[in-house]
Amino acid sequence: MSDTEVIAVDADRPDPEAVERAAGILRRGGLVAIPTETVYGLGADALDESAVAKIFEAKDRPPTNPLIVHVESVDRARRLAAGWPDAAGRLADAFWPGPLTLVVRRAAVVPDAVCAGLETVAIRMPSHPVARALIEAADTPLAAPSANRHTELSPTTADHVLSGLDGRIDAVVDAGPTRVGVESTLVSVVEDPAEILRPGMIGFDQLRDVVDVRPFRSRQVDDSTPRPSPGMSKRHYSPSAPLRLVDGEAFERLLVEEDERRGFVGVKRRSPADDEARVEWLSDDPERYARGLYAALHRLDDAGVVEIVVERPPDERRWEAVRDRLRRATTPRTP
Ligand code: TXA
Ligand code: MG
């Protein structure tokens, strides 16, 4: 593939011409990285089997890992599903458009490759104005995994997308940094009660207000079988430098060692003296922390550190999505 085109748009009021340019590529079966409120996704026409195959190729993604299909309406979601359980209706009412993905039984129109052969499909209606405009203009649901190479960090800017996929995809639509910063909450409503397969910024308490739901249980599987639950590669969402999670005291101890090869991610700035390139201070509010996390890890990777020391965030439900991503990122890379 030749150069990847960068199509810049305003995040809130996307220029229709730019949207049409990207939508045209999608309609012709091409690959376009698109901004969503969570992370950038690598979009293709979900109903076009050969377009979907290109996603797996560009990402080096194992074919056993199914994709999320992005839609512009509940009506469209229902047409991709075989049955729409009461829980799906309630969750969609409460949280769509937004950072929630629903796993339901799939209809026959959904290509096998999208679902990795499973009898279910993951569907999400994003809230990002650019994502919505693109889905509407393309006039088809868009399959879109996070727009990173397999096992690498999810992108929250167009630059992050290009760092992994430049030359491997047709275009990236650049609408600036994403707002949520970590991937959507993934909930299966195939059985009752519903089950959280991947925690996200829509948390257990919010979901429980709407449906009967089981809390998230962390599990991991390898890449050889279609996974019943998402994002469970042992290593997923990882920077290339090894990541070490430590408690606050150990964090401070390592910080004062001033070893230049180490990068740091701390919860809330303490000493102004520690304000230097290899220290990333994130908020003690989980939403702000999530928004900044991947960009911080990307910057430390770019700085060429050999290890990233991360201060463990509080063991509280509000931090569940962040703690999940950090846990996955600490798993050593297997050759
Ligand atoms: O926020 C997000 O969800 C972003 C944006 C682009 O929408 N997308 C995203 O996609 O994170 P991806 O492919 O990186 O992660 C989707 C996860 C995968 O781990 C996959 O295993 C899981 O969803 N998944 C997809 N279809 C599934 C299904 N039918 N059953 C269970 N898990 C499924
Ligand atoms: Mg991903």
Side-chain angles (χ1 to χ4, degrees):
M1 187 169 292
S2 53
D3 287 356
T4 296
E5 181 181 357
V6 178
I7 302 172
V9 300
D10 185 279
D12 298 313
R13 260 169 288 138
D15 167 23
E17 250 174 64
V19 167
E20 180 44 40
R21 171 146 194 91
I25 299 172
L26 290 163
R27 282 195 304 268
R28 290 190 296 275
L31 293 185
V32 180
I34 66 172
T36 81
E37 67 276 23
T38 56
V39 300
Y40 276 71
L42 179 55
D45 181 348
L47 304 181
D48 176 344
E49 199 124 13
S50 70
V52 169
K54 290 187 207 163
I55 292 180
F56 288 90
E57 206 181 295
K59 279 184 61 103
D60 294 322
R61 182 179 178 105
T64 49
N65 195 358
L67 307 176
I68 295 175
V69 180
H70 297 68
V71 297
E72 80 294 0
S73 69
V74 174
D75 187 50
R76 175 74 93 166
R78 295 182 71 142
R79 280 184 277 139
L80 299 174
W84 195 246
D86 185 51
R90 286 205 257 168
L91 289 168
D93 264 0
F95 301 110
W96 279 4
L100 175 71
T101 298
L102 297 176
V103 173
V104 293
R105 287 190 203 287
R106 70 160 158 147
V109 288
V110 184
D112 283 344
V114 169
C115 311
L118 296 172
E119 283 313 306
T120 56
V121 58
I123 309 177
R124 171 161 115 77
M125 192 202 300
S127 63
H128 196 298
V130 176
R132 296 170 64 76
L134 283 165
I135 300 167
E136 267 175 43
D139 197 24
T140 185
L142 297 181
S146 53
N148 51 282
R149 297 284 273 275
H150 179 55
T151 78
E152 290 181 354
L153 281 179
S154 289
T156 57
T157 66
D159 276 349
H160 297 162
V161 173
L162 290 170
S163 76
L165 296 175
D166 195 11
R168 299 173 73 93
I169 63 178
D170 296 296
V172 53
V173 177
D174 183 356
T178 61
R179 183 176 54 79
V180 177
V182 296
E183 304 81 356
S184 60
T185 308
L186 218 136
V187 175
S188 170
V189 291
V190 170
E191 277 166 21
D192 191 18
E195 187 185 2
I196 300 175
L197 302 181
R198 175 176 72 185
M201 298 315 286
I202 293 177
F204 174 73
D205 294 335
Q206 283 169 282
L207 298 167
R208 192 186 43 188
D209 282 345
V210 180
V211 292
D212 193 12
V213 61
R214 280 205 299 263
F216 173 65
R217 279 176 305 132
S218 178
R219 281 179 295 181
Q220 292 186 329
V221 297
D222 62 31
D223 284 336
S224 58
T225 43
R227 55 215 54 194
S229 315
M232 286 197 189
S233 296
K234 285 215 180 70
R235 184 180 167 104
H236 205 166
Y237 316 109
S238 309
S240 35
L243 190 147
R244 193 162 134 204
L245 260 179
V246 300
D247 63 25
E249 263 175 50
F251 184 80
E252 308 235 345
R253 218 168 36 239
L254 290 165
L255 202 57
V256 296
E257 279 179 18
E258 295 189 359
D259 181 338
E260 301 207 331
R261 295 162 308 169
R262 280 199 194 112
F264 293 88
V265 180
V267 184
K268 200 176 183 184
R269 172 181 281 101
R270 300 183 182 61
S271 146
D274 298 328
D275 216 6
E276 39 156 322
R278 288 165 304 96
V279 187
E280 297 280 347
W281 293 112
L282 296 176
S283 172
D284 61 353
D285 167 68
E287 293 202 0
R288 286 168 198 246
Y289 186 108
R291 188 178 306 156
L293 174 62
Y294 288 152
L297 295 176
H298 274 287
R299 277 192 297 273
L300 292 173
D301 251 358
D302 291 346
V305 299
V306 300
E307 179 183 53
I308 300 176
V309 179
V310 181
E311 179 182 10
R312 202 186 305 278
D315 186 7
E316 294 168 16
R317 219 159 225 156
R318 310 183 300 138
W319 288 89
E320 190 166 50
V322 162
R323 289 172 62 94
D324 169 71
R325 302 311 186 275
L326 291 174
R327 202 162 43 230
R328 293 175 204 271
T330 51
T331 304
R333 191 184 290 260
T334 41

